[in-house]
Amino acid sequence: MSASVQTYRRRSRFVMTWGYMRRNPSLLIGSLMFVALIGTAIVAHFVYDVSQYQPLSVMPSQPPSAELPFGSDTQGRDLFASVARGTVLTLGIGLIAGGLGLLIGGTLGFISGYFGGWVDTTIKLVVDVLLTVPALLVLVIVASAVGELPPMGMAFVIALLAWRRPARQIRSQVLVLRNAGFVQTARISGCGPFTIIFKEILPNLLPFLAASFTVAVSAAILASVGLEALGLGSQNAPTLGMTVFWMMNFSALMLGMWWWVLTPIAVLIILFVSLYLITAGLDELANPRLRRRA
């Protein structure tokens, strides 16, 4: 294949992708917000001294200025450095916990939905029982028993219960697709169950899995912020949840330090809104009814 043909195909693929993104404003706006937020946090690691997230790095209780864009807290932490470092750490927790939850839940959902029988009954019963358990209560108990959790430990604790809802949702999708014509044709052709799952069912569920992954990441970030705001995170890690914890612990609002309150809350709002818009856009991509309506 000539280089000109490859270039033409890449351009055509880019034009089609851009054209769809323009017709899907939720996905476009959410992606731009997410890329802008994460890109700013990553670039700050190269152009700004993010080591100033540690206590006594700068003058304490300083309002925003040219030297301190987001000001500082009562312990002498540079809030811009804390947010730049904390955004990356918090997103890492969400990606690890959400990814593990989707991997475990997806595996159980595919096995349960495709094979059916006693396997489906057993997995469905376990998932239904665990869904009745309050997730935050269990996470608080586990985190309290383990002690101070570093970001990686926080991610694994959250992943303990992050697989339940994806397992149920993916199972319902597989139940529908396992009786589809192309799956029946593959079965008649002699394809094994795992070949059918990976080559026939899985590709058709990719948009749905992408939307489920975004939801799982959002839920994991929310859980980590909640646990850290309760003081169950690592006090040496400048995650967004720990910034909220220090803000509440030192009564920033009562001290009139509005910048300390506004900074982590604004970043979390931008992060959650961007993930919500991405999820809505991916849901439109995965749902034929929404796609036709758009």
Side-chain angles (χ1 to χ4, degrees):
M1 186 181 296
S2 64
S4 59
V5 173
Q6 292 180 350
T7 303
Y8 173 76
R9 288 187 173 181
R10 284 196 294 267
R11 289 179 180 176
S12 300
R13 195 176 296 114
F14 173 77
V15 171
M16 292 176 62
T17 303
W18 174 246
Y20 178 77
M21 293 285 283
R22 291 178 61 185
R23 295 192 301 272
N24 192 338
S26 297
L27 184 59
L28 177 62
I29 296 173
S31 300
L32 291 176
M33 291 175 61
F34 183 80
V35 170
L37 178 63
I38 303 304
T40 302
I42 293 175
V43 170
H45 283 68
F46 298 98
V47 300
Y48 197 82
D49 186 9
V50 294
S51 64
Q52 295 185 144
Y53 70 82
Q54 299 175 352
L56 303 178
S57 297
V58 296
M59 289 291 294
S61 306
Q62 297 297 307
S65 62
E67 296 180 356
L68 300 172
F70 292 168
S72 63
D73 62 13
T74 56
Q75 303 301 302
R77 299 182 184 87
D78 185 343
L79 289 177
F80 182 80
S82 297
V83 166
R85 178 68 175 156
T87 301
V88 176
L89 289 176
T90 301
L91 182 62
I93 293 173
L95 291 174
I96 294 173
L100 286 175
L102 184 63
L103 177 62
I104 298 172
T107 301
L108 293 175
F110 274 105
I111 294 174
S112 175
Y114 183 81
F115 290 100
W118 66 268
V119 175
D120 180 34
T121 303
T122 303
I123 295 177
K124 182 176 181 297
L125 178 62
V126 172
V127 173
D128 289 343
V129 170
L130 290 178
L131 279 172
T132 63
V133 178
L136 184 59
L137 177 61
V138 174
L139 294 177
V140 168
I141 294 174
V142 173
S144 301
V146 173
E148 187 175 298
L149 286 171
M152 187 65 68
M154 179 71 70
F156 283 110
V157 167
I158 295 172
L160 289 175
L161 296 176
W163 57 271
R164 302 172 302 165
R165 198 164 299 278
R168 168 184 275 188
Q169 295 172 343
I170 292 172
R171 170 187 173 273
S172 65
Q173 296 292 323
V174 175
L175 284 174
V176 175
L177 288 179
R178 75 174 182 180
N179 295 319
F182 62 91
V183 174
Q184 298 291 346
T185 302
R187 191 178 291 117
I188 294 174
S189 301
C191 296
F194 291 102
T195 301
I196 294 175
I197 289 175
F198 283 103
K199 291 188 176 182
E200 302 294 339
I201 298 178
L202 181 61
N204 286 278
L205 287 180
L206 286 180
F208 176 79
L209 293 176
S212 299
F213 176 69
T214 309
V215 173
V217 171
S218 302
I221 292 176
L222 182 61
S224 70
V225 171
L227 291 175
E228 289 165 345
L230 295 174
L232 298 175
S234 174
Q235 298 188 359
N236 296 320
T239 58
L240 296 177
M242 289 308 299
T243 303
V244 173
F245 168 75
W246 292 121
M247 175 261 292
M248 295 189 302
N249 192 51
F250 287 99
S251 305
L253 196 60
M254 295 182 64
L255 294 175
M257 299 175 66
W258 56 267
W259 59 90
W260 194 1
V261 179
L262 181 63
T263 297
I265 300 301
V267 173
L268 286 171
I269 289 175
I270 294 173
L271 181 59
F272 282 121
V273 169
S274 65
L275 291 174
Y276 170 77
L277 291 175
I278 292 173
T279 303
L282 291 173
D283 187 49
E284 179 183 316
L285 179 63
N287 192 328
R289 294 180 179 177
L290 295 176
R291 192 162 60 244
R292 284 196 298 267
R293 189 182 306 167

